[in-house]
Amino acid sequence: MPARKRKRRERTHDWQDIQQYTLWPEQQLYEKIRPVVLFQESAAVRAKEIGDSPRTLQYHAQQFEQVGMASLSHKERAPAPSAGRSLPEDMRQLIVNLKAEYPSFTPHEIATICFLHFERRPSDHTVKRILADGPKPSISGRRYPLYAEIADGYQRRRAIVDLHAEGWSNTTISAYLQTPRHRVYEVLKRWAEEGHAGLDDRPTSAPRSPARKVTMNAITEVRKSVRESPELGAYRVRAALEQIGIHLSQATCGRLLALNRKLYGVPKPSGGVPRERREMPFKAHFKHEIWSVDAPVHRRA
């Protein structure tokens, strides 16, 4: 049986004619995106010619460049791998493990820790998707006990340094170990300045308060002064103490005198013998009385 002769048609760029000549939906889709794929025409211009959506044409053109002829098929295609599924398996496992160890982690903090481990930072939305449908956690509890439950002082501070090196923030470390945040800052500062030596326990024999000027020797000397001369005031006691090398302020001497008088029941100084009050020699007898004195003035020749 001889083959049927095909009717020759003239070449045309009119989309209405091309649409009538296409036999399959895949062929029609290819004719839509052919100028965009072959001649790099604008998807917006092509969409205006055929009355379609520019975004739809751009999407089909990109799919054709990535997948090829298989993108023209209308059959159910395998979904493209999402950003979460493209992450390494160990990163996905780390994300769910961090959330299992400390449920108060935010997606942003988890993404920061992943960046320090793998030099790749997933988005916060990707972290949320992995936490929703990712693998099961491989840990079931805490890696570190609470700060107060670690007996060794070095290991307590080492836990803070290790978590900080993993990318944990100071606030999260403080909440996870249940220790004040200022202690976290102090441990990290000691680690930065001294290294491992800064994590060791420091001796507690050193005095926590500075040395005071009021010593037992000074208190003893003031007590002697009160017993020997109860009439002495703070000014004379201060002068007497300076003669033997004890330098105290007048106010301090006054406080020590008051303390010793109260302790030994010594009365306060009476203030001396009262004197007879004399009348002012130049007292005015009437208003606006003026006194004047002539003083000789010696001039040089």
Side-chain angles (χ1 to χ4, degrees), residues 192-264:
E193 294 177 352
E194 306 176 28
H196 287 278
L199 304 182
D200 294 329
D201 293 332
R202 292 182 175 178
T204 58
S205 58
R208 296 186 178 181
S209 58
R212 299 181 179 179
K213 293 184 178 180
V214 180
T215 60
M216 289 300 300
N217 188 21
I219 297 175
T220 304
E221 293 297 331
V222 173
R223 184 168 62 248
K224 290 180 181 179
S225 301
V226 171
R227 287 182 177 180
E228 295 174 359
S229 303
E231 299 295 329
L232 288 180
Y235 179 81
R236 293 188 178 182
V237 171
R238 174 191 174 191
L241 292 177
E242 288 182 351
Q243 293 180 0
I244 60 176
I246 301 176
H247 300 277
L248 297 177
S249 66
Q250 185 173 342
T252 303
C253 293
R255 288 194 296 269
L256 293 178
L257 285 173
L259 179 64
N260 282 276
R261 289 193 182 104
K262 183 178 180 181
L263 182 62
Y264 297 104

Side-chain angles (χ1 to χ4, degrees), residues 67-91:
V67 184
M69 298 298 292
S71 65
L72 302 177
S73 176
H74 287 270
K75 296 180 180 180
E76 186 177 356
R77 308 185 188 100
S82 62
R85 295 182 180 179
S86 64
L87 294 180
E89 187 62 29
D90 48 355
M91 182 185 295

Side-chain angles (χ1 to χ4, degrees), residues 81-226:
S82 62
R85 295 182 180 179
S86 64
L87 294 180
E89 187 62 29
D90 48 355
M91 182 185 295
R92 293 162 54 85
Q93 190 66 51
L94 175 63
I95 291 174
V96 296
N97 286 348
L98 289 172
K99 192 67 173 179
E101 183 175 9
Y102 184 61
S104 298
F105 261 131
T106 63
H108 182 77
E109 291 175 329
I110 295 177
T112 302
I113 297 176
C114 290
F115 177 75
L116 294 178
H117 279 262
F118 302 98
E119 297 184 357
R120 178 178 176 181
R121 185 188 185 93
S123 66
D124 295 354
H125 299 288
T126 302
V127 174
K128 291 180 181 179
R129 285 197 298 269
I130 294 177
L131 293 176
D133 57 0
K136 293 184 179 180
S138 60
I139 61 175
S140 58
R142 302 169 56 96
R143 290 181 297 159
Y144 298 93
L146 300 181
Y147 188 87
E149 296 176 357
I150 304 177
D152 187 13
Y154 176 87
Q155 296 299 331
R156 285 199 303 265
R157 302 176 189 94
R158 181 61 184 270
I160 294 178
V161 174
D162 291 343
L163 293 175
H164 177 74
E166 293 179 5
W168 291 44
S169 64
N170 295 342
T171 303
T172 305
I173 295 174
S174 173
Y176 176 75
L177 297 177
Q178 295 186 12
T179 184
R181 190 165 56 178
H182 68 82
R183 178 174 290 128
V184 177
Y185 283 103
E186 179 185 356
V187 171
L188 295 177
K189 182 180 179 181
R190 288 170 55 177
W191 167 261
E193 294 177 352
E194 306 176 28
H196 287 278
L199 304 182
D200 294 329
D201 293 332
R202 292 182 175 178
T204 58
S205 58
R208 296 186 178 181
S209 58
R212 299 181 179 179
K213 293 184 178 180
V214 180
T215 60
M216 289 300 300
N217 188 21
I219 297 175
T220 304
E221 293 297 331
V222 173
R223 184 168 62 248
K224 290 180 181 179
S225 301
V226 171

